[in-house]
Amino acid sequence: MLYLCNVITRIGEDVNEAISLLKAGEIVAIPTETVYGLAGLATDENAIQNIFKVKQRPSSNPLILHVDSLEKIQPYVSKFPMIFKQLANEFCPGPLTFLMPKSGLVSDLITAGNARVAVRIPNHPITLRLLQLLGKPVAAPSANLYGKLSPTLASHVLEQLGGKIPYILDGKECAKGIESTIIGIEKNEVVIYRLGSITPEDLSRQLGYLPGLKIHADELPTASGMVKYHYAPATSCSYYHSSLPFDATAGYLMFNEKYPEKSDENISYLSRRGDLEEAAKNLYALLHEMDGKGYSHIFIEKLPEQGIGIAINDRLNRAVAKYNK
Ligand code: TXA
Ligand code: MG
């Protein structure tokens, strides 16, 4: 019977418990400042295979290595460009992922056969402590089922992966709320493959130029965030337009409280005061919550195309695209 295959998923704050499980080849959910990750010991190929299986993710879609310091990255890359060291000194620990040529220590399972490996230093005290004590990197995609909403709370992980993993290390709400910015180098210039809370403008202040954007897949996507339909709630969704008639069976995810006369319980606000950082932090949590309310549809207001708003809109475009094929 199927339920006999289920494991019991516990939620707790015990770093040592998470470390023991990782060392024993298990995979566990860990908090980061962006979203929760589904971690396995990077040196354990069985654990890596298990991550793909549990997440139901195609093995062609590579995983990010997570380490606790710049020094720990070095053995896993064959080249660490100076410009990346400068950016890392400025932004790490933080929501920035670097694509660099991999060393022989990195399994092809992690990079899906790519010559480059993605590495980042997450800025969450519990996970930094875990990585420090573990002494080895973990490979971790976001801890959601493939194509579904990313988790920003332990309870979101439980909803999707409960019964499939033994432990969720609870680090409370993720501070940033959307996935890391992913960068690489092409023709000696930094390019962005996934937008995140470190914006092109933030990077340009260090680089002296605005990095190019390569966030749409021409052929095979370099990053899963490039897939056209992604980050979608289970409830159908589309963009809100003020010209549309109000639908009492639908939910409305609005940016700020600019229509106080519409104090309907169907309306949720990403940030009542119109703060884009707050909107990013609340995005997935509100979509998770609205998914549970049985709405016939979710109308989402597009955010101002500035700063982190551009990264949020990029996620929203891919979510609404799923229902508007
Ligand atoms: O904020 C984050 O980056 C979160 C937390 C958990 O760290 N992780 C995350 O992982 O968003 P994931 O797997 O959901 O998205 C990572 C993206 C994927 O789109 C993957 O295709 C891309 O990074 N990626 C990873 N390794 C790569 C590689 N070697 N070459 C190209 N793209 C890579
Ligand atoms: Mg993901």
Side-chain angles (χ1 to χ4, degrees), residues 13 17-18 40 52 61 88 97 177 183 207 210-211 223 248 253 255 275 286 302:
E13 297 177 18
E17 168 86 26
F52 285 101
N61 202 329
T97 295
I183 58 173
L207 297 170
L210 205 58
L253 183 57
F255 173 40
D275 178 291
L286 286 175
K302 207 165 186 163

Side-chain angles (χ1 to χ4, degrees), residues 81-102:
M82 190 52 77
I83 187 62
F84 275 5
K85 286 191 177 151
Q86 284 169 19
L87 291 174
N89 278 325
E90 180 66 21
F91 294 110
C92 299
L96 188 60
T97 295
F98 301 90
L99 279 180
M100 292 188 261
K102 79 178 196 76

Side-chain angles (χ1 to χ4, degrees), residues 35 55 57 141-148 150-151 179 194 224-225 230-231 284:
V35 300
K55 195 176 154 72
R57 172 163 170 154
S142 50
N144 52 290
L145 294 172
Y146 185 63
K148 299 272 163 51
S150 299
E179 300 83 351
R194 182 172 69 184
S224 73
H230 209 69
Y231 308 115
Y284 291 128

Side-chain angles (χ1 to χ4, degrees), residues 64-199:
I64 299 176
L65 282 190
H66 294 66
V67 292
D68 66 301
S69 67
L70 271 190
E71 301 73 62
K72 295 251 184 73
I73 294 179
Q74 200 73 59
Y76 300 91
V77 297
S78 62
K79 195 172 152 207
F80 198 153
M82 190 52 77
I83 187 62
F84 275 5
K85 286 191 177 151
Q86 284 169 19
L87 291 174
N89 278 325
E90 180 66 21
F91 294 110
C92 299
L96 188 60
T97 295
F98 301 90
L99 279 180
M100 292 188 261
K102 79 178 196 76
S103 80
L105 287 182
V106 182
S107 161
D108 281 335
L109 291 177
I110 292 175
T111 63
N114 282 291
R116 291 189 293 184
V117 61
V119 192
R120 90 176 191 93
I121 306 173
N123 193 12
H124 193 294
I126 293 186
T127 290
L128 283 173
R129 179 150 174 73
L130 174 141
L131 291 168
Q132 201 180 7
L133 293 172
L134 189 64
K136 286 182 177 174
V138 296
S142 50
N144 52 290
L145 294 172
Y146 185 63
K148 299 272 163 51
L149 287 176
S150 299
T152 56
L153 283 171
S155 60
H156 298 156
V157 181
L158 189 69
E159 262 170 48
Q160 292 191 28
L161 303 182
K164 295 180 174 170
I165 57 173
Y167 199 64
I168 301 170
L169 186 60
D170 192 353
K172 308 301 173 209
E173 189 185 19
C174 300
K176 297 287 178 191
I178 58 170
E179 300 83 351
S180 61
T181 306
I182 302 181
I183 58 173
I185 295 180
E186 292 189 16
K187 298 191 188 119
N188 287 322
E189 291 221 336
V190 171
V191 291
I192 297 179
Y193 298 110
R194 182 172 69 184
L195 290 163
S197 52
I198 291 181
T199 64

Side-chain angles (χ1 to χ4, degrees), residues 240-243 252-264 267 269 272 301-302:
Y240 166 82
H241 295 288
S242 54
S243 58
Y252 288 79
L253 183 57
M254 308 303 282
F255 173 40
N256 54 6
E257 206 173 9
K258 62 175 140 335
Y259 310 112
E261 74 278 11
K262 287 190 188 171
S263 60
D264 198 282
I267 304 177
Y269 294 99
R272 283 180 186 272
E301 184 176 31
K302 207 165 186 163

